[in-house]
Amino acid sequence: MRAFRLAYDGTDYYGYQRQPDVPTVEGAVFDALRSLEVLEPDAAKPAGYAAAGRTDRGVSALAQTIAFKAPDWLAPRALNGELPADVRAWASADAPADFHATHHATRREYAYHLYAPPSSIDDERFAAACDALSGQHDFHNLTPADHNTERAPTLEATRDGDYLVVTVTAGGFARELVRRLVSLARRVGTGEASLEAVDRALAPAPLPGHEGIPPAPAEPLVLTGVEYSDPDLEFDVDERAAESAREVFETRRVERRTGARVAGEIAAGVRGRDRSDE
């Protein structure tokens, strides 16, 4: 078995898990493996294949982890040769024959980059909501899943300029849970809801429709870490592959900053014209 770390920009994908007729990260990985003749054309997936998480549409990753039976020559750089530019393998590890990338993960970490200028939110209230949401709870009101909703996350928020970076860790997560946790904490932080809203969300009774907590937008969310308990599972960074990843994502960073600058100039110009018409 061979395990790989993947980084990807989820903006243009309908999530990680393969779906018919829409682009997914997993679909791109399988296409690359077919091009490399690692995966047979008629095979559904590689032997022993599993992934650490099924990120939702628009969610990105730094450390998505996949594993499958792979030939010795399949290094991250070889995989990158057939992957689209926004999906990059950057490290790999030899794994035990019975290794399962999903079931053997002991800790997963997500980071949510919440745009929250200090003038729009009370950091102390936000932190209090994060504290109240941390620990063992049944989160049935904060996920569309109808089973396996008991989790024990830890939420921590760090101020970074106009952003609150919310780090959420747990052994595993129910569907949309991270984004709904952030959404509820934001409501408390802005004063849209009191801290009692957290108690209501964690109570056994279902929330009425008007009190439901929608998920925060997907694009600011990144899967930043996946840990395994096996001490022999050591990932080696493929420097050439890692450099390719750095180049790709640095280029995207510049492109988006430029796009934001252009959008800002247009917004400022429209405001100026509005004032001139008064």
Side-chain angles (χ1 to χ4, degrees), residues 261-275:
R261 183 181 178 87
V262 170
E265 181 172 338
I266 293 172
V270 170
R271 285 195 297 270
R273 292 186 180 186
D274 285 346
R275 288 193 296 269

Side-chain angles (χ1 to χ4, degrees), residues 92 98 110 212 226 243:
S92 62
D98 63 348
Y110 284 87
V226 180
E243 180 60 28

Side-chain angles (χ1 to χ4, degrees), residues 69-92:
K69 292 183 179 179
D72 293 339
W73 56 262
L74 187 62
R77 70 186 71 177
L79 190 53
N80 285 346
E82 299 298 333
L83 284 170
D86 52 5
V87 181
R88 299 282 90 184
W90 57 274
S92 62

Side-chain angles (χ1 to χ4, degrees), residues 2 28 54 56 59 64 82 86 88 93 95 174 177 183 185 197 201 204 222 227 237 242 251 255 262 274:
R2 191 79 176 157
R54 298 176 177 179
D56 293 334
V59 176
Q64 174 69 281
E82 299 298 333
D86 52 5
R88 299 282 90 184
L177 177 56
S183 183
V222 184
E227 294 181 4
V237 175
T251 297
E255 289 173 348
V262 170
D274 285 346

Side-chain angles (χ1 to χ4, degrees), residues 57-186:
R57 178 179 180 178
V59 176
S60 297
L62 167 62
Q64 174 69 281
T65 305
I66 62 173
F68 53 92
K69 292 183 179 179
D72 293 339
W73 56 262
L74 187 62
R77 70 186 71 177
L79 190 53
N80 285 346
E82 299 298 333
L83 284 170
D86 52 5
V87 181
R88 299 282 90 184
W90 57 274
S92 62
D94 291 325
D98 63 348
F99 179 73
H100 195 285
T102 309
H103 302 324
H104 292 166
T106 57
R107 179 179 179 272
R108 294 169 172 85
E109 178 186 273
Y110 284 87
Y112 194 95
H113 297 262
L114 178 67
Y115 180 68
S119 60
S120 70
I121 199 165
D122 185 313
D123 287 11
E124 291 186 2
R125 287 173 57 89
F126 189 92
C130 288
D131 288 343
L133 289 165
S134 296
Q136 185 75 35
H137 302 288
D138 188 333
F139 292 97
H140 66 99
N141 280 320
L142 293 173
T143 173
D146 57 8
H147 66 283
N148 197 23
T149 56
E150 291 190 9
R151 305 286 172 162
T154 299
L155 286 75
E156 297 180 350
T158 303
R159 168 64 63 184
D160 183 10
D162 282 343
Y163 286 83
L164 282 172
V165 181
V166 188
T167 302
V168 188
T169 58
F173 293 94
R175 184 182 172 194
E176 296 182 357
L177 177 56
V178 174
R179 291 192 286 137
R180 291 175 189 257
L181 290 170
V182 172
S183 183
L184 179 52
R186 186 199 64 80

